[in-house]
Amino acid sequence: MALPTVLLKAKDVISKGAKVAKTAGAVKSATSNSNEEEVKSFIGIFKTPIIIVSAIAGTILAFILVVFIAIVAIPQILTGSIFGGGSLSSSGNGSGISGNYSGDLGYVQWAVDIANDDSHGYSQPNRFGNPDYDCSSLVYYSFLNSGYTTDDLGTTYPWTVGVSMQHLPNLGFERHTFTSVDDLMPGDILIRVGQHTAIYVGDGKKVHASMDENGGIAGTRPGDQTGTEIVVDACGSNWTYYYRRS
């Protein structure tokens, strides 16, 4: 049966529409594939540089971490400032301990506290309070940690016995010839010229850095190995002078 003319025309339109749709789908697919290839190409251009930059950044961060550990962390661990609970110090002023040592006799108490802390011993080669002292550096740091400055003390380098005799008058201390322990008062600085110095604490006793663990001056092992390297003991009478704050 022949289709009416209207229906034939409708069939023709539908057929043409299907062809257009098919063509559009093909174009869309081709376009999509083309865009995908362009994106992949764009990513490929930057992929290698990004990997290289990431590797360089990782290397730099690792180097910074190693430097930090070597310069900061390890020295602090060795000196106890990280795991020591904050009670010990290895600061440049040889403080050794923390506390309030202001007052006229604060330097005496500081030296006594150092003597009671066996993490500090005697050493002439390592006399800067990290952690050890010798006789004259103990006196020097006792003043430095009780309110005096390096300007007051006349030097940034710890005193020797002879140098202490030059600078004690600048702190207001007068020199007296030693004759008897009975003449001494707490806070007097005892001097045996060219040999030794100590601080008189009272009751016939002095505090001083005496000798290392072998009875010498080298102090090859840090800290007080015998309990008597830095000690409060009998004053004795073998002194040349004492210096007293006027």
Coordinates of all heavy atoms in Angstrom, one line a residue, residues 22 58 123 126 162 209:
K22 N 24.0 11.2 13.9 CA 25.2 10.3 13.9 C 26.4 11.1 13.6 O 27.5 10.8 14.2 CB 24.9 9.2 12.8 CG 26.0 8.2 12.7 CD 25.6 7.1 11.7 CE 26.7 6.1 11.6 NZ 26.4 5.0 10.6
G58 N 63.2 18.0 48.3 CA 63.4 17.0 49.3 C 64.8 16.9 49.8 O 65.1 16.8 51.0
S123 N 88.8 21.4 85.7 CA 89.6 21.3 84.5 C 90.2 22.6 84.1 O 89.4 23.6 84.0 CB 88.8 20.7 83.3 OG 89.5 20.7 82.2
N126 N 89.4 23.0 80.1 CA 88.0 23.2 79.9 C 87.4 23.9 81.1 O 86.7 23.3 81.9 CB 87.2 21.9 79.6 CG 85.8 22.1 79.3 OD1 85.4 23.2 78.8 ND2 84.9 21.1 79.6
G162 N 96.2 35.9 88.9 CA 96.8 37.2 88.8 C 95.9 38.2 88.2 O 95.8 39.4 88.7
A209 N 87.4 25.4 93.4 CA 87.7 24.3 92.5 C 89.1 23.8 92.8 O 90.1 24.6 92.7 CB 87.6 24.8 91.1

